[in-house]
Amino acid sequence: MDQEYERRLLRQINHQNVPEGHPSKSGYAACSPVTVKSGDRFIPTRAGSNWSINFHYANENCWSPNQNQRAKDASTDTGKDAVAYAALLRNELLGAGIETVPDPHTDDRRHTILTQDTHSLFRYTIHTKRVPFDNEISPYSLSPLSNKSHKLLRSPRKPARKISKIPFKVLDAPELQDDFYLNLVDWSAGNLLSVGLGACVYLWSACTSQVTRLCDLSVDGDSVTSVCWNERGSLVAVGTHKGFVQIWDAAGGRKLTSLEGHSARVGALAWNGEQLSSGSRDRVILQRDVRTPPPVERRLQGHRQEVCGLKWSPDHQHLASGGNDNKLLVWNSSSLLPVQQYSDHLAAVKAIAWSPHQHGLLASGGGTADRCLRFWNTLTGQALQSTDTGSQVCNLAWSKHANELVSTHGYSQNQILVWKYPSLTQVAKLTGHSYRVLYLAVSPDGEAIVTGAGDETLRFWNVFSKTRCTKESKSVLNLFTRIRPSDRERPQHFLHSHFFYSEISVLSRKN
């Protein structure tokens, strides 16, 4: 009895001498210097191996695409804090030696994990002192963190990207129609902006700010309902209210051909190489090769109401179409019937955009009764995710440089939203239009966008650019270029001039 009591007393004294927070605090018998004979078997202590941490670390060596995608999408402040916290834990628990916060947009996390010591899984020794003190950390410091972790916390954080809340240019565009089903603005690869105003199509050069009238349909009693540039930026297709599709040479300013086939207005156009797809109010999609003298046409019939959205995939293999029947259809390049049909939207589907970063990813937006952004995996036909934007979705466009997209909205907030995918967090919210933001186009360099609305203005925003490099873009809302309707005395060109107004005076004049 006396020997047993002496053993217990020695264990209790050793337990009191163990510092608070030591891993052996709860199991002080393992730290006792008293040797207790308990048989002929030797059972090594494994208190130093944290099995859960080691197995979690071992599993992270098998880097999966989902983990890689999540690491790339951690661009918000919350995501950066999570990356810094994870690096801090690796320093303290695994001795990773990370001194700077890994960039969430790269694979630094993978590199850090793979360079750690993988032989510590079956190590049985207990480290009472993880990292020795050095000259940079005072020995009297109360912080329990190591030197590497202190360097990590002091490392400079990447500043968040700032998006200007005001447009760097505003073009005054009279007779820009306030019609949800039309597509009257497009930006070419040659940096020319085509705009349909009433019965005319005008070209505005982003390089010289010169405005040229391309065509005037008033002589035929017709009007412009859609415009679309081909990929090279040399030809522009013009859809009309009477159902014609005209092909114009922008450089020469001449009409090449006029295609018939539709019995109602053509509100949507999409090029696919030398083939042109047109969607009409007659519920038919026509595909025609403009190189053949009598164009060979394919009739795609699947919508029950007006076709108001058309977009070809980046690989030129699939065509997505949206209609006023709340349907989103996907066609391939050979079939006359849709290969996929999505019916989750509760309103007209005009906003359609294919992701240039992920093959088969399609985004769509619904009208006033739906207000949702939805994402689809067209490779499997599955719905991925959706979010309620709070207002009518009029247009969508993906960034060429980052996994982001911009959406324009109508009733009731008339705003422009920039989203991060796949987290669907809002990067920016831009306001300025007083009517529905019906029209959207992206600049050829992928940095700026132009939006058009029924308030008869075109506004240019630096949305995807990192810095604003031009002097003109630094000006406040005081530069207005007036685009006037065609002057009867000048049939080839129209009169244009620059005006310097304040935003308040212009809006008060319109109201």
Side-chain angles (χ1 to χ4, degrees):
M1 294 294 294
D2 295 339
Q3 293 179 355
E4 182 65 25
Y5 178 77
E6 184 179 359
R7 289 196 202 98
R8 293 182 180 179
L9 183 60
L10 288 175
R11 292 176 184 176
Q12 184 176 2
I13 292 174
N14 281 318
H15 173 58
Q16 292 176 353
N17 292 333
V18 174
E20 192 67 32
H22 196 277
S24 61
K25 182 69 175 177
S26 59
Y28 59 87
C31 298
S32 175
V34 179
T35 304
V36 180
K37 295 181 180 180
S38 57
D40 58 350
R41 291 189 304 161
F42 171 72
I43 302 177
T45 174
R46 293 180 174 84
S49 340
N50 191 329
W51 291 91
S52 62
I53 293 177
N54 283 319
F55 273 108
H56 174 68
Y57 151 66
N59 289 334
E60 285 190 356
N61 284 337
C62 302
W63 193 256
S64 65
N66 292 333
Q67 289 175 328
N68 191 16
Q69 188 65 32
R70 286 195 298 269
K72 287 183 179 180
D73 294 325
S75 62
T76 60
D77 293 339
T78 305
K80 292 179 180 178
D81 293 339
V83 173
Y85 180 67
L88 191 66
L89 288 180
R90 291 191 183 92
N91 277 353
E92 297 303 309
L93 299 179
L94 304 176
I98 305 175
E99 297 184 6
T100 59
V101 179
D103 188 357
H105 295 283
T106 63
D107 289 337
D108 291 344
R109 179 182 176 190
R110 179 188 180 190
H111 174 73
T112 302
I113 294 174
L114 294 179
T115 55
Q116 295 173 359
D117 185 11
T118 60
H119 300 288
S120 63
L121 186 60
F122 296 102
R123 184 176 297 169
Y124 305 131
T125 58
I126 301 175
H127 298 278
T128 57
K129 185 183 293 185
R130 292 185 296 253
V131 179
F133 291 107
D134 58 8
N135 296 330
E136 295 189 15
I137 300 180
S138 172
Y140 304 102
S141 174
L142 299 179
S143 174
L145 301 180
S146 62
N147 178 30
K148 302 295 184 181
S149 297
H150 276 275
K151 288 184 178 180
L152 186 146
L153 293 177
R154 292 195 301 265
S155 64
R157 304 294 295 274
K158 184 178 180 179
R161 179 168 61 92
K162 295 182 180 179
I163 297 179
S164 177
K165 302 294 183 180
I166 60 175
F168 62 87
K169 180 185 284 292
V170 177
L171 300 181
D172 193 11
E175 296 189 38
L176 185 61
Q177 300 298 312
D178 184 24
D179 195 327
F180 177 80
Y181 300 98
L182 306 185
N183 293 274
L184 297 176
V185 177
D186 197 18
W187 208 328
S188 75
N191 217 6
L192 287 176
L193 189 71
S194 61
V195 185
L197 302 179
C200 300
V201 175
Y202 296 104
L203 305 181
W204 177 81
S205 173
C207 301
T208 63
S209 296
Q210 296 296 317
V211 185
T212 306
R213 188 182 65 185
L214 180 65
C215 64
D216 186 358
L217 306 181
S218 61
V219 294
D220 300 325
D222 209 344
S223 61
V224 180
T225 54
S226 57
V227 293
C228 185
W229 290 95
N230 67 344
E231 295 179 359
R232 292 177 296 181
S234 58
L235 302 179
V236 56
V238 179
T240 73
H241 188 271
K242 291 186 176 181
F244 297 100
V245 178
Q246 300 182 1
I247 310 298
W248 286 78
D249 179 12
R254 60 191 182 92
K255 182 173 67 174
L256 301 180
T257 184
S258 180
L259 306 177
E260 302 179 356
H262 289 291
S263 59
R265 68 180 183 184
V266 179
L269 295 168
W271 286 89
N272 184 23
E274 300 298 331
Q275 294 184 351
L276 177 62
S277 302
S278 57
S280 172
R281 201 175 201 174
D282 60 10
R283 304 169 293 179
V284 176
I285 301 173
L286 295 181
Q287 287 183 291
R288 290 171 280 202
D289 193 330
V290 298
R291 294 171 297 183
T292 59
V296 179
E297 71 176 28
R298 296 174 61 242
R299 299 177 64 90
L300 307 180
Q301 295 180 325
H303 288 283
R304 297 184 177 180
Q305 293 190 37
E306 180 174 6
V307 180
C308 50
L310 283 179
K311 287 293 173 62
W312 276 96
S313 61
D315 60 359
H316 306 284
Q317 298 300 315
H318 292 88
L319 172 68
S321 64
N324 197 36
D325 55 358
N326 310 343
K327 296 294 190 297
L328 175 65
L329 306 182
V330 178
W331 316 75
N332 60 22
S333 56
S334 59
S335 176
L336 297 179
L337 296 176
V339 294
Q340 293 175 3
Q341 177 174 320
Y342 304 104
S343 305
D344 292 2
H345 284 291
L346 303 178
V349 182
K350 177 192 177 185
I352 302 173
W354 291 90
S355 171
H357 311 290
Q358 188 170 344
H359 180 61
L361 177 59
L362 177 63
S364 61
T368 307
D370 183 73
R371 306 174 303 178
C372 288
L373 280 181
R374 301 183 185 274
F375 298 86
W376 318 90
N377 184 352
T378 58
L379 303 180
T380 62
Q382 296 177 343
L384 297 178
Q385 53 184 322
S386 66
T387 182
D388 190 344
T389 64
S391 55
Q392 177 189 41
V393 185
C394 301
N395 258 308
L396 286 174
W398 288 86
S399 169
K400 299 179 181 179
H401 309 296
N403 207 8
E404 296 178 350
L405 71 160
V406 59
S407 59
T408 65
H409 300 269
Y411 300 127
S412 58
Q413 302 182 34
N414 305 328
Q415 59 188 355
I416 303 164
L417 299 178
V418 182
W419 306 83
K420 184 70 179 179
Y421 185 83
S423 62
L424 294 184
T425 55
Q426 288 188 18
V427 181
K429 181 169 86 170
L430 310 176
T431 57
H433 285 289
S434 56
Y435 281 68
R436 297 181 295 175
V437 190
L438 298 176
Y439 310 110
L440 170 68
V442 183
S443 63
D445 60 4
E447 294 187 352
I449 64 170
V450 59
T451 57
D455 56 9
E456 298 183 346
T457 62
L458 298 174
R459 296 173 185 262
F460 295 79
W461 315 79
N462 271 324
V463 171
F464 300 126
S465 60
K466 297 180 180 180
T467 57
R468 307 176 68 177
C469 55
T470 60
K471 294 182 179 180
E472 185 180 32
S473 64
K474 295 180 180 179
S475 62
V476 190
L477 279 178
N478 59 355
L479 180 59
F480 281 74
T481 304
R482 175 175 295 275
I483 300 180
R484 301 192 59 85
S486 58
D487 195 331
R488 300 300 180 186
E489 298 178 357
R490 296 173 175 84
Q492 299 298 326
H493 302 280
F494 64 98
L495 181 64
H496 63 280
S497 59
H498 296 271
F499 293 87
F500 291 85
Y501 292 147
S502 66
E503 175 71 0
I504 299 178
S505 63
V506 172
L507 291 181
S508 61
R509 173 177 60 86
K510 290 184 175 298
N511 293 333

